[in-house]
Amino acid sequence: MEKLVSLCKRRGFMFQSSEIYGGINGFWDYGPLGVELKRNIKDAWWRDMVTGHDDLTQLPGAPGSYEMTGLDCTIIMHPQVWKCSGHYDLFHDYMVDCRESKRRYRHDQIQGRWVEAKGKKIFATAGSDSEAPEADLERQALKFFGMRSKNADELKWDGPLASLTTVDDFELVLGPDAKTLGTLTAPREFNLMFKTTIGALGGEADSAFLRPETAQGIFVNFKNVVDSSRVRVPFGIAQVGKSFRNEITPRNFTFRSREFEQMEIEFFCHPDSSAEWYTYWRDRRFKWYLDLGLDEGKLQLRDHDQDELSHYSRGTADVEYAFPFLPEGEFGELEGIAHRGDFDLRSHMEGKLDPATNPLTVELNEDGKPRHRGSGKDLSYRDDLTGERFIPHVIEPSAGADRATLAFLCEAYTEDEAPDDKGKMQSRVVMKLHPRIAPIKAAIFPLVKKDGMPEMAQDLYRTLKKDWNVFYDEKGAVGRRYRRQDEAGTPFCVTVDGDSIQDNTVTIRHRDTLEQWRVKADDLTDELRKLIG
């Protein structure tokens, strides 16, 4: 992972935000290569899910044909949106503060073990950023008990690694960066939404929030889309956009950030067929990652256990990837596919629903009135063919563009050997990105800067530039130029040599196989179109 992070900075995939001022935790900037990679991932998603979708055909596994359309909502919305959706009251993590180190931790991300020595038993802990928690716990326990490493066998460990959430008596807890016991505060709620102010006065009435997800913008526009575009249930509304969550402990490169981009679909369907549509989207979204090059052995589709489900969910599955920063055998979430029932549309019609009720009813305050009042708008749907009126159920495939970008980078990073200009095998770093998402599709080289080769190469560059992001390079030995493009993830290099001037052919080199073949310069665009897909 360290090698990948280093490559990302060195080659311009990603930089820490505001790095010249020491950076700001949980925020990342995409460099020249990174912005192209992330844009290509978003474009592939939009093309495959929306603009390239065939509304007339019943796709494999789908209960029927369906329509897809798009939306782009504002980042700041009416505050009542977040009250009715539940984010205002429920969107929080529990945090603990250390009185000694002055650090803050997420309650459920502190892990530790009970250990006894010198007649005293404590709960030693490690923070969420620990790469070797067992070793850190041993060092912490030895230091607390005043023991040396050679006496580590005298430590009596009780039970496996466990979350701090399993501990009731914090007076026996040794914080991750503390020297004394009982320095952690009791857990308290920490709302994850970023608060902001609208207008010049700045009073509480002018408070608003940066959206923590893009989904709610789709729900509050459901009626607008139905009335303006004549879509019929079943149909999906897609959106790509920024979201913001004030994570307590952002970590693992871009995996958990405070500003991130989502690729979400809210798919509206009849309640009677919603279970079938859930299965369809669950399987289709898993296959999408495989088609773009993620290794099936590092990817899994995990159904949530009953105790993991949101109070409104009728089923949720996560597409997960074995990121290299995770322990062996563990996976991190790439995308969630949730069966949300009619929770969202009802919430914005009637008001915030009470998670303690089944079936769900509007949550009331002490006066017996809705705790957070809904819009009062009718968000039901009337089928013009059958006359039936119902509140559609929603299937939500919600993917993270940043996490997808990170997963494709992790999958692509490869170290192997390739021959240099003299045929000697040399180690190389190559980013084996799928051609559809590679930042640069092809690089064009003149073998040498003379005999008309640069002129021909430049003409080819200008022709290809009309269709793809391509790169022209005439500096240095051609072998070094190949290596630079390998690190950038460029799948194909095109070389103009002496024979090119004579017979109007060029050499194409494949990044992964190192295979080289010649094609007519006039056929180059068609050849690359087939290769890129």
Side-chain angles (χ1 to χ4, degrees):
M1 196 66 204
E2 290 179 4
K3 291 181 179 179
L4 175 61
V5 173
S6 176
L7 174 76
C8 284
K9 180 178 180 181
R10 176 167 50 84
R11 292 310 311 266
F13 281 99
M14 294 181 205
F15 314 119
Q16 188 171 18
S17 177
S18 313
E19 184 179 354
I20 63 171
Y21 289 104
I24 178 169
N25 198 19
F27 297 91
W28 297 90
D29 297 332
Y30 286 80
L33 290 179
V35 72
E36 291 293 334
L37 172 61
K38 185 178 172 183
R39 184 182 296 275
N40 288 345
I41 291 170
K42 292 186 294 182
D43 287 348
W45 182 88
W46 192 266
R47 175 68 188 167
D48 293 345
M49 299 298 115
V50 185
T51 55
H53 170 67
D54 182 355
D55 296 345
L56 306 178
T57 302
Q58 181 173 346
L59 300 180
S65 60
Y66 62 92
E67 297 177 78
M68 288 294 301
T69 189
L71 200 63
D72 186 6
C73 304
T74 59
I75 287 172
I76 296 176
M77 303 171 69
H78 194 290
Q80 199 68 13
V81 169
W82 308 112
K83 293 179 180 179
C84 290
S85 70
H87 288 81
Y88 186 81
D89 293 333
L90 303 174
F91 196 60
H92 61 257
D93 284 333
Y94 283 94
M95 67 179 183
V96 296
D97 293 308
C98 181
R99 301 183 187 93
E100 181 181 310
S101 68
K102 309 302 181 187
R103 294 191 63 184
R104 177 170 289 171
Y105 311 92
R106 236 178 78 171
H107 181 214
D108 62 340
Q109 289 181 353
I110 295 180
Q111 49 190 344
R113 290 181 68 188
W114 289 100
V115 58
E116 185 176 357
K118 297 184 178 182
K120 189 173 183 65
K121 189 173 184 179
I122 68 168
F123 189 76
T125 63
S128 60
D129 56 352
S130 174
E131 296 181 357
E134 297 281 5
D136 289 345
L137 292 177
E138 182 176 289
R139 282 193 295 270
Q140 189 193 41
L142 288 171
K143 191 173 183 178
F144 174 79
F145 289 116
M147 300 165 59
R148 296 186 176 184
S149 298
K150 64 181 181 180
N151 304 120
D153 292 342
E154 298 177 21
L155 295 173
K156 297 179 181 178
W157 297 96
D158 182 11
L161 206 63
S163 168
L164 182 62
T165 57
T166 64
V167 179
D168 296 323
D169 188 356
F170 276 28
E171 293 302 313
L172 299 178
V173 174
L174 182 62
D177 302 288
K179 298 178 183 177
T180 55
L181 295 176
T183 63
L184 297 182
T185 64
R188 60 191 178 94
E189 291 182 5
F190 178 77
N191 196 288
L192 299 178
M193 288 196 292
F194 279 104
K195 200 171 186 179
T196 188
T197 302
I198 299 175
L201 296 179
E204 186 61 30
D206 301 315
S207 294
F209 302 94
L210 304 186
R211 66 183 181 195
E213 63 177 28
T214 61
Q216 297 305 319
I218 298 177
F219 297 131
V220 299
N221 274 293
F222 169 75
K223 182 173 174 57
N224 289 333
V225 172
V226 170
D227 291 347
S228 64
S229 59
R230 298 175 60 230
V231 290
R232 299 187 71 257
V233 170
F235 72 93
I237 303 176
Q239 179 169 209
V240 177
K242 292 273 191 179
S243 295
F244 305 82
R245 296 182 184 179
N246 197 10
E247 296 283 356
I248 299 169
T249 52
R251 66 193 190 279
N252 293 334
F253 202 18
T254 59
F255 181 78
R256 190 175 296 280
S257 303
R258 291 181 168 124
E259 177 181 336
F260 55 96
E261 205 157 1
Q262 290 181 287
M263 307 180 296
E264 287 196 307
I265 294 170
E266 304 304 328
F267 186 81
F268 301 93
C269 56
H270 193 285
D272 293 346
S273 59
S274 59
E276 296 173 80
W277 282 113
Y278 168 67
T279 300
Y280 164 74
W281 280 109
R282 176 182 173 276
D283 297 341
R284 184 179 181 196
R285 291 303 305 144
F286 180 77
K287 184 176 181 298
W288 187 80
Y289 292 97
L290 295 176
D291 291 344
L292 284 180
L294 291 189
D295 182 357
E296 189 168 7
K298 299 178 184 176
L299 205 63
Q300 70 174 17
L301 186 60
R302 184 183 69 85
D303 291 302
H304 282 208
D305 295 329
Q306 196 64 34
D307 59 353
E308 289 183 273
L309 294 175
S310 302
H311 61 276
Y312 55 78
S313 178
R314 304 192 175 199
T316 299
D318 286 343
V319 179
E320 298 179 329
Y321 180 72
F323 289 97
F325 50 75
L326 296 174
E328 184 77 23
E330 291 192 12
F331 293 76
E333 181 187 347
L334 267 183
E335 175 170 345
I337 301 93
H339 186 324
R340 300 176 69 106
D342 61 5
F343 170 80
D344 300 285
L345 293 179
R346 279 191 59 202
S347 295
H348 291 299
M349 286 173 62
E350 306 167 18
K352 180 178 180 288
L353 301 179
D354 187 349
T357 59
N358 186 16
L360 292 167
T361 57
V362 175
E363 185 174 339
L364 305 178
N365 60 21
E366 57 276 7
D367 299 324
K369 297 180 179 179
R371 177 176 175 82
H372 298 302
R373 192 177 299 278
S375 68
K377 303 294 183 183
D378 183 5
L379 300 182
S380 63
Y381 173 82
R382 181 183 179 277
D383 190 318
D384 59 346
L385 298 182
T386 65
E388 180 185 8
R389 183 172 289 278
F390 57 91
I391 300 176
H393 278 204
V394 174
I395 312 300
E396 180 191 75
S398 176
D402 302 271
R403 287 192 180 182
T405 301
L406 180 58
F408 285 119
L409 284 169
C410 291
E411 185 70 40
Y413 185 90
T414 308
E415 295 180 2
D416 63 12
E417 291 190 338
D420 61 14
D421 295 338
K422 300 177 181 178
K424 184 178 179 181
M425 298 301 290
Q426 299 285 347
S427 62
R428 69 164 181 163
V429 172
V430 55
M431 298 297 290
K432 294 186 176 182
L433 294 163
H434 191 286
R436 279 189 73 191
I437 62 174
I440 302 170
K441 304 303 185 191
I444 297 88
F445 307 149
L447 186 62
V448 292
K449 293 189 286 185
K450 60 180 182 180
D451 300 333
M453 296 181 209
E455 290 78 8
M456 182 177 178
Q458 290 168 14
D459 286 342
L460 289 173
Y461 163 80
R462 294 186 184 101
T463 299
L464 298 176
K465 195 74 172 176
K466 297 173 184 176
D467 294 300
W468 303 287
N469 184 30
V470 295
F471 187 78
Y472 176 83
D473 191 2
E474 60 181 26
K475 299 175 182 177
V478 71
R480 285 196 291 274
R481 285 180 266 171
Y482 284 151
R483 294 294 185 275
R484 289 196 289 263
Q485 295 305 315
D486 290 342
E487 283 192 341
T490 307
F492 307 107
C493 290
V494 178
T495 303
V496 175
D497 55 23
D499 291 339
S500 303
I501 306 300
Q502 303 300 322
D503 59 13
N504 198 38
T505 63
V506 294
T507 299
I508 300 178
R509 170 193 182 261
H510 193 287
R511 175 197 63 205
D512 301 339
T513 65
L514 303 180
E515 179 188 358
Q516 297 190 27
W517 66 98
R518 297 189 74 85
V519 299
K520 288 284 187 180
D522 295 339
D523 299 333
L524 182 59
T525 298
D526 290 338
E527 181 77 5
L528 289 177
R529 184 169 285 113
K530 288 188 293 184
L531 293 169
I532 293 169

